[in-house]
Amino acid sequence: MSDSTNGNSGFIVVSPFMRVLNHSFAGITESRRIAVRINKQTMDVDYEPTNLWFKRAASTVLFGITIATFLYRRKRLQQVGGLVSLTGASRPVMSGIAWTTGIAAVLNSRPITPEASE
């Protein structure tokens, strides 16, 4: 697919989906701005400021997944009377998901620090 089909000949354009992801997880990447378009010849980059609404929404979703995973894991253990051997693979998998999303949520909820190049 040619760049001229979307009216941006000579530019690399960051997809809207990737920009939303970058905005959402800006705390993890500690990025104060997001690349929107890059000139292929000069490699000049056009930026937009990080959208804090997406960042905060992503942090909330990650914390929600963490809590839901711990609650599901607890419910699963109650269903089998606390016998860990009967929970199968769900217990360690749920623990991994919970800790990973929890850590990502903590990292993402940090304030964005100024970049050294600015």
Side-chain angles (χ1 to χ4, degrees), residues 35-86:
V36 177
R37 183 172 52 243
I38 304 168
N39 186 317
K40 287 181 184 176
Q41 284 76 32
T42 64
M43 296 308 285
D44 290 333
V45 182
D46 291 336
Y47 293 97
E48 67 182 31
T50 299
N51 188 329
L52 292 178
W53 184 87
F54 280 117
K55 178 183 175 324
R56 290 181 181 134
S59 298
T60 303
V61 168
L62 287 167
F63 279 126
I65 291 169
T66 301
I67 292 166
T69 305
F70 275 126
L71 292 174
Y72 175 79
R73 183 176 169 265
R74 182 177 177 195
K75 178 184 166 190
R76 185 84 175 101
L77 278 169
Q78 287 174 343
Q79 286 173 342
V80 295
L83 296 173
V84 173
S85 60
L86 295 179

Coordinates of all heavy atoms in Angstrom, one line a residue, residues 35-86:
A35 N 4.8 10.5 19.0 CA 5.1 10.7 17.6 C 3.8 10.5 16.8 O 3.1 9.6 17.0 CB 6.2 9.8 17.1
V36 N 3.5 11.5 15.9 CA 2.3 11.4 15.0 C 2.7 11.1 13.6 O 2.1 10.3 12.9 CB 1.6 12.8 15.1 CG1 0.4 12.7 14.2 CG2 1.1 13.0 16.5
R37 N 3.8 11.8 13.1 CA 4.2 11.7 11.7 C 5.7 11.9 11.6 O 6.3 12.7 12.3 CB 3.4 12.7 10.9 CG 3.6 12.8 9.5 CD 2.7 13.7 8.8 NE 2.7 15.1 9.3 CZ 1.7 15.7 9.9 NH1 0.5 15.1 10.0 NH2 1.8 16.9 10.3
I38 N 6.3 11.1 10.8 CA 7.8 11.2 10.5 C 8.1 11.4 9.1 O 7.6 10.7 8.2 CB 8.5 9.9 11.0 CG1 8.2 9.6 12.5 CG2 10.0 10.0 10.8 CD1 8.6 8.2 12.9
N39 N 8.8 12.4 8.7 CA 9.2 12.7 7.4 C 10.3 11.7 6.9 O 11.3 11.5 7.6 CB 9.8 14.1 7.2 CG 10.0 14.5 5.8 OD1 10.6 13.8 5.0 ND2 9.6 15.7 5.5
K40 N 10.0 10.9 5.9 CA 10.9 9.9 5.4 C 12.3 10.4 5.0 O 13.3 9.7 5.2 CB 10.3 9.1 4.3 CG 9.2 8.2 4.6 CD 8.7 7.5 3.4 CE 7.5 6.6 3.7 NZ 6.9 6.0 2.5
Q41 N 12.3 11.6 4.4 CA 13.6 12.1 3.9 C 14.4 12.7 5.0 O 15.6 12.4 5.2 CB 13.4 13.1 2.8 CG 13.0 12.5 1.4 CD 11.6 12.1 1.4 OE1 10.7 12.7 2.0 NE2 11.3 11.0 0.7
T42 N 13.9 13.6 5.8 CA 14.6 14.4 6.8 C 14.6 13.7 8.2 O 15.3 14.1 9.1 CB 14.1 15.8 6.9 OG1 12.7 15.7 7.4 CG2 14.1 16.5 5.6
M43 N 13.6 12.8 8.4 CA 13.4 12.1 9.6 C 13.0 13.1 10.7 O 13.2 12.8 11.9 CB 14.7 11.3 10.1 CG 15.0 10.1 9.1 SD 13.6 9.0 8.8 CE 13.5 8.1 10.3
D44 N 12.4 14.2 10.3 CA 11.8 15.1 11.3 C 10.5 14.5 11.8 O 9.8 13.9 11.1 CB 11.5 16.5 10.7 CG 12.7 17.3 10.3 OD1 13.7 17.1 11.0 OD2 12.6 18.1 9.4
V45 N 10.3 14.6 13.1 CA 9.2 14.0 13.8 C 8.2 15.1 14.3 O 8.6 16.0 14.9 CB 9.6 13.1 15.0 CG1 8.4 12.4 15.6 CG2 10.7 12.1 14.5
D46 N 6.9 14.9 13.9 CA 5.9 15.7 14.5 C 5.3 15.0 15.7 O 4.9 13.8 15.6 CB 4.7 16.0 13.5 CG 5.2 16.8 12.3 OD1 6.2 17.6 12.5 OD2 4.6 16.7 11.2
Y47 N 5.1 15.7 16.8 CA 4.7 15.2 18.1 C 3.3 15.8 18.5 O 3.0 16.9 18.0 CB 5.7 15.4 19.2 CG 7.0 14.7 19.0 CD1 8.1 15.3 18.5 CD2 7.1 13.4 19.4 CE1 9.3 14.7 18.4 CE2 8.3 12.7 19.3 CZ 9.4 13.4 18.8 OH 10.6 12.7 18.7
E48 N 2.6 15.1 19.4 CA 1.5 15.7 20.1 C 1.7 15.4 21.5 O 2.3 14.4 21.9 CB 0.2 15.2 19.6 CG -0.1 13.7 19.8 CD -1.4 13.2 19.2 OE1 -1.8 13.7 18.2 OE2 -1.9 12.3 19.8
P49 N 1.2 16.2 22.4 CA 1.4 16.0 23.9 C 0.7 14.7 24.3 O -0.4 14.3 23.7 CB 0.8 17.2 24.5 CG 0.3 18.1 23.5 CD 0.5 17.5 22.2
T50 N 1.2 14.1 25.3 CA 0.5 12.9 25.9 C -0.8 13.2 26.5 O -1.0 14.2 27.2 CB 1.4 12.3 27.0 OG1 2.7 12.0 26.4 CG2 0.8 11.1 27.6
N51 N -1.8 12.4 26.1 CA -3.2 12.6 26.6 C -3.3 12.0 28.0 O -3.3 10.7 28.1 CB -4.2 12.0 25.6 CG -5.6 12.4 25.9 OD1 -5.9 12.5 27.1 ND2 -6.4 12.5 24.9
L52 N -3.4 12.7 29.0 CA -3.4 12.2 30.4 C -4.7 11.5 30.7 O -4.7 10.6 31.5 CB -3.2 13.3 31.4 CG -1.8 13.9 31.4 CD1 -1.7 15.0 32.5 CD2 -0.8 12.8 31.7
W53 N -5.8 11.8 30.0 CA -7.1 11.1 30.2 C -6.9 9.6 29.8 O -7.3 8.7 30.6 CB -8.2 11.7 29.3 CG -9.5 11.1 29.6 CD1 -10.4 11.4 30.5 CD2 -10.1 10.0 28.9 NE1 -11.5 10.6 30.5 CE2 -11.3 9.7 29.5 CE3 -9.6 9.2 27.8 CZ2 -12.1 8.7 29.0 CZ3 -10.5 8.2 27.4 CH2 -11.7 7.9 28.0
F54 N -6.2 9.3 28.7 CA -6.0 7.9 28.3 C -5.1 7.2 29.3 O -5.3 6.1 29.7 CB -5.3 7.8 26.9 CG -6.3 8.0 25.8 CD1 -6.2 9.0 24.9 CD2 -7.3 7.1 25.6 CE1 -7.1 9.2 23.8 CE2 -8.2 7.2 24.5 CZ -8.1 8.3 23.6
K55 N -4.1 7.9 29.7 CA -3.1 7.4 30.7 C -3.8 7.0 32.0 O -3.7 5.9 32.5 CB -2.0 8.4 31.0 CG -1.0 8.0 32.0 CD 0.0 9.1 32.2 CE 1.0 8.9 33.3 NZ 0.7 8.2 34.4
R56 N -4.7 7.9 32.5 CA -5.4 7.6 33.7 C -6.4 6.5 33.5 O -6.6 5.6 34.4 CB -6.1 8.8 34.3 CG -5.0 9.8 34.8 CD -5.6 11.1 35.3 NE -4.6 12.0 35.8 CZ -4.5 13.2 35.5 NH1 -5.4 13.8 34.8 NH2 -3.5 14.0 35.9
A57 N -7.1 6.4 32.4 CA -8.1 5.4 32.1 C -7.4 4.0 32.0 O -7.9 3.0 32.5 CB -8.8 5.7 30.8
A58 N -6.2 4.0 31.4 CA -5.4 2.7 31.3 C -5.0 2.3 32.7 O -5.1 1.1 33.0 CB -4.2 2.9 30.4
S59 N -4.6 3.2 33.6 CA -4.2 2.8 34.9 C -5.4 2.2 35.7 O -5.3 1.2 36.3 CB -3.7 4.0 35.7 OG -2.6 4.5 35.1
T60 N -6.6 2.8 35.5 CA -7.8 2.3 36.1 C -8.1 0.9 35.6 O -8.5 0.0 36.4 CB -9.0 3.3 35.9 OG1 -8.6 4.5 36.4 CG2 -10.2 2.8 36.6
V61 N -8.0 0.7 34.3 CA -8.3 -0.6 33.7 C -7.3 -1.7 34.3 O -7.7 -2.8 34.6 CB -8.3 -0.6 32.2 CG1 -8.3 -2.0 31.6 CG2 -9.4 0.2 31.7
L62 N -6.1 -1.3 34.3 CA -5.1 -2.3 34.8 C -5.3 -2.6 36.3 O -5.2 -3.8 36.7 CB -3.7 -1.7 34.7 CG -3.1 -1.7 33.2 CD1 -1.9 -0.8 33.1 CD2 -2.9 -3.1 32.7
F63 N -5.6 -1.6 37.1 CA -5.9 -1.9 38.5 C -7.2 -2.8 38.6 O -7.3 -3.7 39.4 CB -6.1 -0.7 39.3 CG -4.8 0.0 39.8 CD1 -4.5 1.3 39.5 CD2 -3.9 -0.8 40.5 CE1 -3.3 1.9 39.9 CE2 -2.7 -0.2 41.0 CZ -2.4 1.1 40.7
G64 N -8.2 -2.5 37.8 CA -9.4 -3.3 37.7 C -9.1 -4.8 37.4 O -9.7 -5.7 38.0
I65 N -8.3 -5.0 36.4 CA -7.9 -6.4 36.0 C -7.2 -7.1 37.2 O -7.5 -8.2 37.4 CB -7.1 -6.4 34.7 CG1 -7.9 -5.9 33.5 CG2 -6.4 -7.7 34.5 CD1 -7.0 -5.6 32.3
T66 N -6.4 -6.4 37.8 CA -5.7 -6.9 39.0 C -6.6 -7.4 40.1 O -6.6 -8.5 40.5 CB -4.7 -5.9 39.6 OG1 -3.7 -5.5 38.6 CG2 -3.9 -6.5 40.8
I67 N -7.5 -6.5 40.4 CA -8.5 -6.8 41.5 C -9.4 -8.0 41.0 O -9.7 -8.9 41.8 CB -9.3 -5.6 41.9 CG1 -8.4 -4.6 42.6 CG2 -10.5 -5.9 42.7 CD1 -9.0 -3.2 42.7
A68 N -9.9 -7.9 39.8 CA -10.8 -9.0 39.3 C -10.1 -10.3 39.2 O -10.7 -11.4 39.6 CB -11.3 -8.6 37.9
T69 N -8.8 -10.3 38.9 CA -8.1 -11.6 38.8 C -7.9 -12.2 40.2 O -8.1 -13.4 40.4 CB -6.7 -11.3 38.2 OG1 -6.9 -10.7 36.9 CG2 -5.9 -12.6 38.0
F70 N -7.5 -11.3 41.2 CA -7.4 -11.8 42.6 C -8.7 -12.4 43.1 O -8.8 -13.4 43.7 CB -6.9 -10.7 43.5 CG -5.4 -10.6 43.5 CD1 -4.8 -9.4 43.3 CD2 -4.6 -11.7 43.8 CE1 -3.4 -9.3 43.3 CE2 -3.2 -11.6 43.8 CZ -2.6 -10.4 43.6
L71 N -9.9 -11.7 42.8 CA -11.2 -12.2 43.2 C -11.6 -13.5 42.6 O -12.1 -14.4 43.2 CB -12.2 -11.1 43.0 CG -12.1 -9.8 43.8 CD1 -13.1 -8.8 43.4 CD2 -12.3 -10.1 45.3
Y72 N -11.3 -13.6 41.3 CA -11.6 -14.8 40.6 C -10.7 -16.0 41.1 O -11.2 -17.1 41.3 CB -11.3 -14.7 39.1 CG -11.5 -16.0 38.3 CD1 -12.8 -16.4 38.0 CD2 -10.4 -16.8 38.0 CE1 -12.9 -17.6 37.3 CE2 -10.6 -18.0 37.3 CZ -11.8 -18.4 37.0 OH -12.0 -19.6 36.3
R73 N -9.5 -15.7 41.4 CA -8.6 -16.7 42.0 C -9.1 -17.2 43.3 O -9.1 -18.4 43.6 CB -7.2 -16.1 42.1 CG -6.1 -17.1 42.6 CD -4.7 -16.4 42.5 NE -3.8 -17.1 43.2 CZ -3.4 -16.9 44.5 NH1 -4.0 -16.0 45.2 NH2 -2.5 -17.7 45.1
R74 N -9.5 -16.2 44.1 CA -10.1 -16.6 45.4 C -11.4 -17.4 45.3 O -11.5 -18.4 46.0 CB -10.4 -15.3 46.2 CG -10.9 -15.5 47.6 CD -11.1 -14.2 48.3 NE -11.6 -14.4 49.6 CZ -12.2 -13.5 50.3 NH1 -12.2 -12.2 49.9 NH2 -12.7 -13.8 51.5
K75 N -12.2 -17.0 44.4 CA -13.5 -17.8 44.2 C -13.2 -19.2 43.7 O -13.8 -20.1 44.1 CB -14.3 -17.0 43.1 CG -15.6 -17.7 42.7 CD -16.3 -17.0 41.6 CE -17.4 -17.9 41.0 NZ -17.9 -17.3 39.8
R76 N -12.2 -19.3 42.8 CA -11.8 -20.6 42.3 C -11.3 -21.5 43.5 O -11.6 -22.7 43.5 CB -10.7 -20.5 41.3 CG -10.3 -21.7 40.6 CD -11.2 -22.0 39.4 NE -10.6 -23.1 38.7 CZ -11.1 -24.4 38.8 NH1 -12.1 -24.6 39.6 NH2 -10.5 -25.4 38.2
L77 N -10.5 -21.0 44.4 CA -10.0 -21.7 45.5 C -11.2 -22.1 46.4 O -11.2 -23.2 47.0 CB -9.0 -20.9 46.3 CG -7.5 -20.9 45.8 CD1 -6.7 -19.9 46.4 CD2 -6.9 -22.3 45.9
Q78 N -12.1 -21.3 46.6 CA -13.3 -21.6 47.4 C -14.1 -22.7 46.8 O -14.7 -23.5 47.5 CB -14.2 -20.3 47.7 CG -13.6 -19.3 48.6 CD -14.4 -18.1 48.7 OE1 -15.2 -17.8 47.8 NE2 -14.1 -17.3 49.7
Q79 N -14.2 -22.7 45.5 CA -15.0 -23.8 44.8 C -14.4 -25.2 45.1 O -15.2 -26.1 45.1 CB -15.0 -23.5 43.3 CG -15.9 -22.4 42.9 CD -15.8 -22.1 41.4 OE1 -14.8 -22.5 40.7 NE2 -16.7 -21.3 40.9
V80 N -13.1 -25.3 45.2 CA -12.5 -26.6 45.4 C -12.1 -26.8 46.9 O -11.3 -27.7 47.2 CB -11.3 -26.8 44.5 CG1 -11.7 -26.8 43.1 CG2 -10.2 -25.7 44.8
G81 N -12.7 -26.0 47.8 CA -12.5 -26.2 49.2 C -11.1 -25.9 49.7 O -10.6 -26.4 50.7
G82 N -10.4 -25.0 48.9 CA -9.0 -24.6 49.3 C -7.9 -25.6 48.9 O -6.8 -25.4 49.2
L83 N -8.3 -26.6 48.1 CA -7.3 -27.6 47.7 C -6.6 -27.1 46.5 O -7.2 -27.2 45.4 CB -8.0 -29.0 47.5 CG -8.6 -29.6 48.7 CD1 -9.4 -30.9 48.3 CD2 -7.5 -30.0 49.7
V84 N -5.4 -26.6 46.6 CA -4.7 -26.0 45.6 C -4.5 -27.0 44.4 O -4.5 -26.6 43.2 CB -3.3 -25.5 46.1 CG1 -2.4 -25.0 45.0 CG2 -3.5 -24.4 47.1
S85 N -4.3 -28.3 44.7 CA -4.0 -29.3 43.7 C -5.2 -29.4 42.7 O -5.0 -29.9 41.6 CB -3.7 -30.6 44.3 OG -4.7 -31.1 45.1
L86 N -6.4 -29.0 43.1 CA -7.6 -29.2 42.3 C -7.9 -27.9 41.4 O -8.8 -27.9 40.6 CB -8.8 -29.5 43.1 CG -8.8 -30.8 43.8 CD1 -10.1 -31.0 44.6 CD2 -8.7 -32.0 42.9

